[in-house]
Structures are given as C-alpha cells and as structure tokens.
Amino acid sequence: MTMRSGIVGIWIIATGVIIALLYLGRSIFAPFAMAVFLFLVMEGFARAIHNQISFIGRTISRAIAILSVLLGFGFFIALLAQGIAQFGGQASDYEQRINELIADVYGILQMERAPTLTEIVFNETGQRFVGTIANATGDLSGDLVIILIYVAFLFIAQSAWGAKLDRLFPDAGHREQVRDVGVAARKGIETYLWTQTVISALITGLTYGTLLVLQVENALFLAALIFVLNYIPTIGSIVAAFVPLLFALVQPEVPSWIPGEGTNEGYIYAVIVFLGVSFWQFVIGNFVQPRIMGETLNLSALVVLLSLAIWGAIWGIPGMFLSAPLTVLLMILFSQSSSTRWIAILLSADGKPGDFVAEPAHNNDIITAETSAL
C-alpha cells in the first residue's frame, strides 16, 4: 500500500512538472508541435499521391504535396487580405450599421446615451483589446515563419531517423516494436487530420453555397474562416455558426426579399443566415462526424472536450487546434504500458485503445504489436 501511494505521488508530481514545462515553454513547444503535424499532413498527402500514381517517385510526390499545402496557405492568406480590404472599403457603412445596433441594444436595456463604435474602440478598454489582438496577430505571423522553418528541417532530418533508431535499440525485436508504436501514432494522427479535413471541407462547401444563396457579402472569406475554425473540436463549430451571424448583422445592405422594415430587416436577415449555417453544422456534426470520428479515432466525446480545455489553457489557440491529435497520441502511448493502460482505456470511447494489446514482452513495458484496423 505504501509503495502504491509512493508511485501515485510520483505520477502526480511528474504530471505537474510536465504541464509546467509545457506551459512555460509554450513559445517553443507549440510552434514545433504545429510543425510536426504540418509535416505529417505533407507526408501523408505525398504517400497518398505515390500510392495512387505509382509511376511518380517519392521525391516528386513529396514536392507536389509540399507545394499544394503551401499554395493552400497562400490562398487562405490572400482571402484574409481580400476580406480585410473589402471591409475597409465599406468602413463607413459598417460603422453606421454597428452604431445602429449599439443604439438598439442600449434602447432595449433602457440605458442612457449609447456610445459610438469610435468611442468604444478608442477608450482605455478598447485600446487594450485592440492591442491584444494586434499582439496575437503579430505572434501568429512570427510563429508561422518558425513553423515553416521547422518543417523544412524535419524533411532534411527524416533520412537519418532509421539509422538513429537502429542505434538506440540494438535488439531487433525491441526496435521493431518501437517502430510499430511509431507507425500506430503516425496513423492515428494522420487519421484525425485527414478525417477532420474532409469534414471541414464538406461543411465549408455547403456553408459557402448557403451564403451565396442568402447573398451574404464576402462569402468566400467567411467560408475560409469557417474551414479553419472547424479544426477546433466542439467550440470551433459553435464559433463557426455565429461568425456569419455577426457579419450578417453588420452588413450595410440586406437582400430585397427579406421581410420587415428598417433595422428589423437586419435582425431577420441575421437569423436566417444563422439558421442556414447552423443547419449544416448540426447535421454533419451530429450524424456524419460522430460516425467518421468514432470509427477511426475511438476517442470519447467527453475526453475531446476536456482535452480542448486543457491544451487550450496550456498552449492557447495552437493547443486548441492540436488538442485532439495530441490526445490520440497520448492514448496510443499510454496503451503500450501495463501500468498506464488504464489511462488509455479512460481516454478511449469503447475501452479498447490503440492498435496494441497490453501484454508484457521480455519482462518490460514494451508491448507486443498486433495488427488491427484503425
């Protein structure tokens, strides 16, 4: 009993130290983790190209995958720039509409004179908020450059990984088991990234069509924003449903087919846009996504939500994007040891985590690999 209490105490202390290190070193660890997952996306895409078009060599497949991902990033940044430019060109119209909304809210709450948008932005609280957003944007731009540098060095270093693994594990059996664990971890992460990409693309395509039909301004920009937000589990889909609502509320002109008069038209229009966007989020999120995610990742929905909160608190926005794949990785790693398998069982949806059966091999914690479908 005393020994077990000591082991529990060591686990608690070790967990606290690891979390503290991850939090204090988030400016280093978070960009590197993003780079690793971006590297896996490129490698997975290159592998898929090579498998489908066998006469294309791995080098050409990898070059096509890297170029495609970089073009995707460039396209998204171009959409952001176009959206900002369009909003800037109609700044006065948007400001007038926002001032009307502020006045309506103050009137409903029976408060005194409503402030204008300019007064809100340039007061002390508004300046602090704008400063925080500007700092976050600057940090994100700097991190993007660092992430791309990390990815480049990961591609350069990958050729030496096999030799290093041979020297780290001279025993052929142990080396094969470690390699199998690495393959399982890679498959789990790639599975999440690809399934989430498919789901995000499906939601984005349907949402973009809905925004076009409803005549929402800058629909392509909003669709691109929704595509990125859907990578954040649970919370991202909720935010993605409300973003078009906010933009519809401040849209200077609403379509002529909207019923109502004056400001009521804007509110009715915003509700219609919200219902149209939320419909796809609800249908795909409740019927399509659980089926795909449940069959491939085997993660408990409660665990996904908790991991979002925990990794978000440790690494901020990058932690939110990486929360699900990091949890998949932890579940696979915990399933390899008989002393930690209970954690993997709790993380899983059906109590059968990972691709490996927790049976001791050679009286140590390396687990015998058994093939099974992800």
Side-chain angles (χ1 to χ4, degrees), residues 273-284:
V273 171
F274 175 73
L275 292 176
V277 173
S278 299
F279 174 79
W280 299 120
Q281 293 284 351
F282 175 79
V283 171
I284 297 175

Side-chain angles (χ1 to χ4, degrees), residues 206-230:
L206 294 171
T207 301
Y208 177 60
T210 303
L211 294 177
L212 287 179
V213 170
L214 296 178
Q215 301 177 3
V216 178
E217 294 180 356
N218 221 338
L220 189 59
F221 166 76
L222 292 176
L225 199 59
I226 289 171
F227 178 79
V228 175
L229 287 172
N230 275 290

